[in-house]
């Protein structure tokens, strides 16, 4: 896991809730990684940013929750070649939808997930509160949002 903000907190919670036994949490500020890890207990292990390469060969899931790689932000420089062949790479960034991290992982034949799913599912509750109707996240809705993103 890359990042130690709110999105990272949500992803760590979801992973632990689903029985993931060990989560390595790397952040550019190791103290933030430690503080978040402390909230979750012994299954979450803080990792210094410059030590990411040491844990990648054992990672079956890599999730970027940072703004690195987002349009207008610095690039995320991670060597996906260090990941095992069965790893999944997820990037919560959705502008661009296909980040360099995802393109690199896809090029290696790894399974990838972009950040649009999280964006859409986060919006459900807000939409419901504002408009009194709970929208369904469907493939058609995703296609509409992708079309709008492609116009940017």
């Amino acid at each position: 896991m890359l990042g130690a903000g709110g999105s990272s907190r949500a992803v760590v919670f979801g992973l632990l809730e689903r029985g993931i036994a060990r989560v390595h949490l790397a952040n550019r500020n190791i103290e933030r990684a430690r503080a978040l890890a402390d909230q979750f207990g012994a299954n979450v292990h803080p990792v210094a940013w410059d030590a990411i390469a040491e844990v990648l060969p054992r990672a079956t899931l890599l999730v970027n929750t940072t703004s690195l790689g987002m349009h207008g932000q610095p690039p995320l420089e991670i060597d996906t070649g260090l990941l095992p062949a069965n790893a999944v790479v997820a990037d919560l960034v959705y502008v661009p939808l296909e980040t360099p991290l995802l393109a690199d992982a896809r090029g290696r034949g790894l399974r990838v997930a972009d950040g649009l799913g999280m964006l859409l599912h986060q919006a459900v509750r807000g939409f419901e509160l504002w408009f009194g109707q709970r929208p369904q996240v469907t493939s058609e809705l995703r296609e509409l949002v992708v079309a709008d993103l492609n116009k940017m």
Side-chain angles (χ1 to χ4, degrees):
M1 171 87 52
L2 306 175
S7 295
S8 181
R9 180 177 289 107
V11 174
V12 169
F13 176 83
L15 292 173
L16 295 176
E17 187 177 65
R18 285 160 183 78
I20 301 300
R22 178 180 290 257
V23 176
H24 290 95
L25 181 64
N27 194 63
R28 290 169 279 180
N29 178 327
I30 188 65
E31 292 308 317
R32 286 194 68 191
R34 286 186 184 123
L36 184 56
D38 287 347
Q39 293 178 16
F40 287 102
N43 290 359
V44 180
H45 304 271
V47 175
W49 193 258
D50 60 0
I52 293 170
E54 296 171 23
V55 297
L56 288 179
R58 300 184 310 276
T60 55
L61 173 65
L62 174 65
V63 181
N64 176 35
T65 70
T66 73
S67 61
L68 296 174
M70 184 182 296
H71 180 74
Q73 297 296 317
L76 173 60
E77 297 178 4
I78 295 290
D79 183 0
T80 62
L82 297 173
L83 291 165
N86 65 334
V88 175
V89 177
D91 197 336
L92 299 191
V93 168
Y94 52 88
V95 176
L97 194 55
E98 177 84 354
T99 63
L101 174 66
L102 294 181
D104 185 54
R106 191 183 312 278
R108 288 200 51 244
L110 300 177
R111 292 178 294 160
V112 301
D114 61 48
L116 189 52
M118 185 162 178
L119 173 70
L120 292 173
H121 286 281
Q122 280 181 315
V124 167
R125 181 68 176 139
F127 188 96
E128 182 179 31
L129 289 171
W130 276 95
F131 300 107
Q133 294 182 352
R134 186 172 185 85
Q136 297 297 314
V137 176
T138 63
S139 58
E140 293 83 10
L141 176 61
R142 180 182 169 83
E143 289 172 18
L144 287 170
V145 174
V146 168
D148 280 346
L149 288 173
N150 287 335
K151 293 176 186 175
M152 297 177 91

